[in-house]
């Protein structure tokens, strides 16, 4: 049976408490709410980027539609103007030709009205997309600012956690290094299994780990050599008997 001075075993309980504090700090680091917040902002930025890409693609298409509509309006305008100029001149045409020309002008003007309407709708669509893009870019800029700010706050929080962890590690190592080698070996073995690594046993049979040892095991530990390293049969962790 492995042995270690009772003082070392009692000191191991302090080491375990410091290890528990370090574990909590690691959890605080890994699960810091600012990590989630920054991650959410980054996801939103990615979503805005996709929206911007689609909006800019739609704007390119709208500009192409507007260009085509403007070209058609200009072309029809030129046709109407040319025919009106010809009608106003009235040279070399009889009344029948003049009536035909007047009819053509009316049809072309109707077509021009439709073209103007299409051009206006295309212009409205372009302006609406430009407004949407400006809004998306503003939202993206705001999110980027929040990411920068959130990262700065996170770095500050993590630095504080690491400073505290470094201090605790120093205290922990100072307590742990002088301990008897067999005790450290058993502690590391228990810690590697996960779960409980060392628990204190009070004289009334209760433990610091929130677990219940059997009366037989409690009685054995109470009456055995105080320098014997006790490993719980049920929990495979070190059990240190207290004086109280």
């Amino acid at each position: 049976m492995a042995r270690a001075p009772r003082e070392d075993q009692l000191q191991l309980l302090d080491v375990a408490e410091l290890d528990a504090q370090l574990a909590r700090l690691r959890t605080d680091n890994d699960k810091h709410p600012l990590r989630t917040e920054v991650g959410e902002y980054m996801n939103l930025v990615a979503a805005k980027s996709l929206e911007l890409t689609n909006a800019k693609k739609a704007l390119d298409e709208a500009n192409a539609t507007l260009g085509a509509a403007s070209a058609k309006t200009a072309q029809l305008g030129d046709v109407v103007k040319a025919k009106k100029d010809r009608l106003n001149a009235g040279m070399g045409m009889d009344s029948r030709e003049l009536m035909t020309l007047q009819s053509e002008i009316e049809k072309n003007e109707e077509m021009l009205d439709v073209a103007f309407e299409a051009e206006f709708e295309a212009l409205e669509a372009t302006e609406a997309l430009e407004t949407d893009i400006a809004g998306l870019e503003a939202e993206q800029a705001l999110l980027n600012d929040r990411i920068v700010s959130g990262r700065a706050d996170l770095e500050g929080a993590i630095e504080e956690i690491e400073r505290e962890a470094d201090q605790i590690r120093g205290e922990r190592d100072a307590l742990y290094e002088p301990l008897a080698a067999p005790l450290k070996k058993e502690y590391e073995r228990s810690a590697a299994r996960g779960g409980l690594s060392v628990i204190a046993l009070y004289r009334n049979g209760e433990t610091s780990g929130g677990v219940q040892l059997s009366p037989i095991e409690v009685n054995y530990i109470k009456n055995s050599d105080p320098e014997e390293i006790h490993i719980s049969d049920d929990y495979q962790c070190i059990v240190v008997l207290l004086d109280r």
Side-chain angles (χ1 to χ4, degrees):
M1 181 66 69
R3 296 167 57 81
R6 177 164 172 72
E7 293 78 8
D8 284 16
Q9 295 189 43
L10 292 171
Q11 191 161 296
L12 182 63
L13 293 172
D14 295 332
V15 171
E17 174 56 32
L18 293 174
D19 280 342
Q21 291 179 34
L22 288 171
R24 286 192 291 270
L25 287 174
R26 283 193 294 272
T27 299
D28 290 345
N29 186 333
D30 295 340
K31 297 184 178 180
H32 198 286
L34 282 173
R35 291 189 186 277
T36 301
E37 184 176 307
V38 170
E40 289 174 352
Y41 285 145
M42 292 177 70
N43 289 337
L44 288 172
V45 166
K48 292 298 176 187
S49 294
L50 180 59
E51 287 185 59
L52 268 172
T53 297
N54 292 335
K56 288 178 178 179
K57 181 180 178 181
L59 179 59
D60 289 340
E61 294 172 354
N63 279 326
T65 299
L66 176 60
S70 298
K72 186 172 183 179
T73 300
Q75 179 188 17
L76 286 170
D78 290 341
V79 170
V80 170
K81 182 179 182 303
K83 289 187 176 182
K84 282 185 174 181
D85 290 344
R86 184 182 172 195
L87 178 65
N88 292 332
M91 297 177 61
M93 291 186 293
D94 56 25
S95 59
R96 181 178 178 182
E97 289 174 329
L98 288 172
M99 288 179 63
T100 299
L101 182 58
Q102 180 64 46
S103 176
E104 290 175 357
I105 291 172
E106 290 174 357
K107 289 180 181 178
N108 289 144
E109 285 180 331
E110 290 176 0
M111 294 172 63
L112 182 59
D113 288 340
V114 173
F116 269 131
E117 183 64 27
E119 182 181 8
F120 180 73
E121 290 177 357
L123 179 61
E124 283 187 323
T126 300
E127 291 175 344
L129 285 167
E130 288 173 344
T131 299
D132 290 344
I133 289 171
L136 288 170
E137 289 176 338
E139 290 174 13
Q140 191 176 55
L142 178 60
L143 289 170
N144 283 327
D145 288 343
R146 288 179 177 174
I147 288 173
V148 171
S149 176
R151 281 176 171 168
D153 291 342
L154 177 61
E155 288 175 5
I158 298 309
E159 286 176 3
E160 179 61 30
I161 289 173
E162 290 177 348
R163 278 195 296 271
E164 186 177 352
D166 286 342
Q167 180 180 347
I168 293 174
R169 257 190 299 272
E171 297 174 10
R172 186 260 189 203
D173 292 344
L175 290 175
Y176 186 72
E177 289 305 322
L179 298 181
L183 183 63
K184 291 196 287 188
K185 181 178 179 181
E186 291 297 340
Y187 180 67
E188 291 166 6
R189 182 182 299 171
S190 296
R193 293 192 187 99
L196 297 171
S197 55
V198 57
I199 59 174
L201 173 63
Y202 297 96
R203 290 289 172 173
N204 64 3
E206 295 180 358
T207 71
S208 62
V211 296
Q212 186 68 46
L213 301 180
S214 70
I216 295 175
E217 187 171 16
V218 170
N219 187 61
Y220 172 79
I221 294 172
K222 285 181 179 180
N223 293 288
S224 63
D225 183 347
E227 294 198 348
E228 181 180 328
I229 300 175
H230 299 285
I231 306 297
S232 169
D233 295 332
D234 293 330
Y235 303 103
Q236 295 302 301
C237 63
I238 299 172
V239 182
V240 179
L241 180 65
L242 300 180
D243 293 329
R244 60 185 189 279

